[in-house]
């Protein structure tokens, strides 16, 4: 079921929850006790141990139910002289564990990490995703039966749910300029799907600038949405809807705004044999955010010399994570004018006149 009550162009309210993640299988994370503890009963020499410990948490602020990433490192710790029963007690303190899904503990009301995290997923040798469990509080985390983390997690009481109904993956979510999603992503699904993906992001209560970037990957960004929104408890649900072609065509920082209408220019420089005869041609696209429609004018030399004008036909069926799209331009009277191929990764288009136009 998909929600449709719009609160901001590109953002509405969602009702279902499905977060996807992926891990890869590599070598096992080492857990080595220096020396053979079973054979140390007669020795009083000081020993050391190599123990995995949580060294970083991303993000360091989250709320119950949110997926976070913990990063571990194998650290050498000193142990007192191991003799008799003490050697056996240390052997129990550092047991072997399942490296695919170890136990990760969160702080309780006393600030001690005793509450077991949920749904641990191994990313690689040194990184795991884990869901913040109910009743978790701010404080250190603990990896298996090891030592407390070197950094603390701040458990929030408010935040956002970012829901993706776009044709692109959500590859970045920034709260007040700080990245809160990467390297994870919220994957897009087919528009015919009854489900969609979302992710929870915790922060302090109040108003924050939320910037959401969509595209095929973090290195292939297509468009950035931005909105001031309240972080609430329960979460304020922000939905990224299907990107309209006109939104992209009018997405330059050099845009002009008049009410609900945003206008941007795409231009090409036509080189003539005599430099004095060279000139600029351009398309001006105006996106109406209220009507979700886009109009255009094609001009040559100057904007006063219009070749034609009309409307952009929105695609009826977007592919998932497209890198280019073919748009049909129709004249004001409805007749076909030309098709343009838009490069969504490089903000350029090639028109039927053979010239490449770049977003200004």
């Amino acid at each position: 079921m998909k929600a449709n009550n719009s609160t901001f162009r590109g953002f509405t309210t969602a009702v279902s929850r499905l977060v996807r993640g992926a891990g890869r299988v590599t070598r096992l994370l080492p857990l080595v006790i220096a020396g053979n503890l079973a054979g140390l009963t007669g020795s009083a020499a000081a020993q050391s141990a190599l123990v995995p410990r949580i060294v970083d948490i991303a993000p360091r602020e989250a709320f119950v139910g949110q997926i976070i990433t913990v990063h571990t490192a194998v650290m050498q710790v000193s142990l007192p002289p191991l003799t008799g029963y003490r050697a056996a007690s240390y052997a129990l303190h550092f047991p072997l564990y399942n490296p695919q899904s170890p136990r990760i503990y969160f702080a309780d009301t006393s600030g001690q990490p005793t509450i077991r995290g949920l749904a641990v997923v191994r990313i690689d040798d040194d990184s795991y995703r884990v869901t913040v469990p109910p009743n978790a509080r701010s404080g250190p985390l603990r990896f298996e039966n090891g030592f407390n983390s070197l950094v603390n997690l701040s458990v929030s009481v408010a935040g956002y749910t970012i829901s993706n109904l776009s044709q692109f993956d959500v590859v970045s979510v920034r709260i007040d300029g700080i990245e809160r999603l990467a390297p994870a992503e919220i994957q897009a699904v087919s528009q015919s799907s009854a489900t969609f993906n979302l992710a929870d992001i915790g922060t302090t209560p109040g108003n924050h600038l939320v910037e959401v970037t969509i595209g095929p990957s973090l290195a292939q960004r297509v468009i950035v949405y931005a909105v001031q929104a309240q972080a609430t408890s329960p979460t304020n649900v922000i939905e990224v809807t299907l990107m309209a072609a006109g939104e992209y065509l009018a997405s330059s920082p050099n845009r002009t705004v008049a009410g609900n209408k945003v206008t941007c220019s795409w231009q090409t420089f036509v080189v003539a044999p005599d430099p004095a005869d060279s000139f600029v041609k351009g398309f001006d696209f105006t996106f109406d955010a209220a009507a979700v429609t886009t109009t255009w004018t094609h001009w040559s030399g100057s904007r006063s010399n219009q070749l034609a004008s009309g409307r952009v036909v929105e695609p009826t069926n977007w592919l998932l994570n497209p890198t280019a799209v073919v748009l049909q331009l129709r004249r004001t009277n409805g007749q076909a004018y030309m098709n343009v191929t838009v490069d969504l990764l490089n903000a350029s288009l090639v028109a039927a006149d053979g010239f490449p136009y770049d977003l200004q």
Side-chain angles (χ1 to χ4, degrees), residues 108-123:
D108 57 22
T109 54
S110 69
Q112 297 303 311
T114 64
I115 300 177
R116 186 175 176 178
L118 306 176
V120 178
V121 176
R122 179 171 180 258
I123 302 172

Side-chain angles (χ1 to χ4, degrees), residues 1 42 71 108 136 140 161 175 212 248 257 273 287 316 359:
M1 178 176 176
H71 301 280
D108 57 22
T161 295
I175 308 295
V212 178
Y248 182 82
V257 180
F287 176 66
T316 57
L359 179 61

Side-chain angles (χ1 to χ4, degrees), residues 34-48 79-88 90:
N36 182 357
L37 295 183
L40 291 175
T41 55
S43 172
Q47 299 293 321
S48 64
L79 302 177
L82 304 179
T83 59
Y85 75 90
R86 183 174 289 166
Y90 277 116

Side-chain angles (χ1 to χ4, degrees), residues 295-315:
T295 56
W296 57 270
T297 59
H298 193 197
W299 49 270
S300 179
S302 68
R303 285 186 169 85
S304 60
N305 183 27
Q306 290 191 7
L307 303 177
S309 62
R311 65 180 182 86
V312 176
V313 179
E314 285 286 337

Side-chain angles (χ1 to χ4, degrees), residues 180-193:
R180 301 299 301 276
L181 182 65
E185 62 183 27
I186 312 174
Q187 294 179 333
V189 299
S190 168
Q191 293 303 300
S192 62
S193 174

Side-chain angles (χ1 to χ4, degrees), residues 185-262:
E185 62 183 27
I186 312 174
Q187 294 179 333
V189 299
S190 168
Q191 293 303 300
S192 62
S193 174
T195 63
F196 49 84
N197 297 326
L198 54 82
D200 293 331
I201 297 178
T203 189
T204 54
N207 193 53
H208 299 275
L209 175 63
V210 182
E211 298 170 279
V212 178
T213 302
I214 61 175
S217 69
L218 191 59
Q220 298 174 304
R221 304 182 178 204
V222 171
I223 196 170
V224 179
Y225 294 112
V227 62
Q228 291 283 342
Q230 290 287 326
T232 59
S233 178
T235 57
N236 183 359
V237 184
I238 298 177
E239 182 183 285
V240 186
T241 61
L242 190 72
M243 185 193 77
E247 282 183 290
Y248 182 82
L249 294 172
S251 61
S252 169
N254 299 321
R255 62 190 180 274
T256 58
V257 180
N260 292 320
K261 297 181 178 181
V262 181

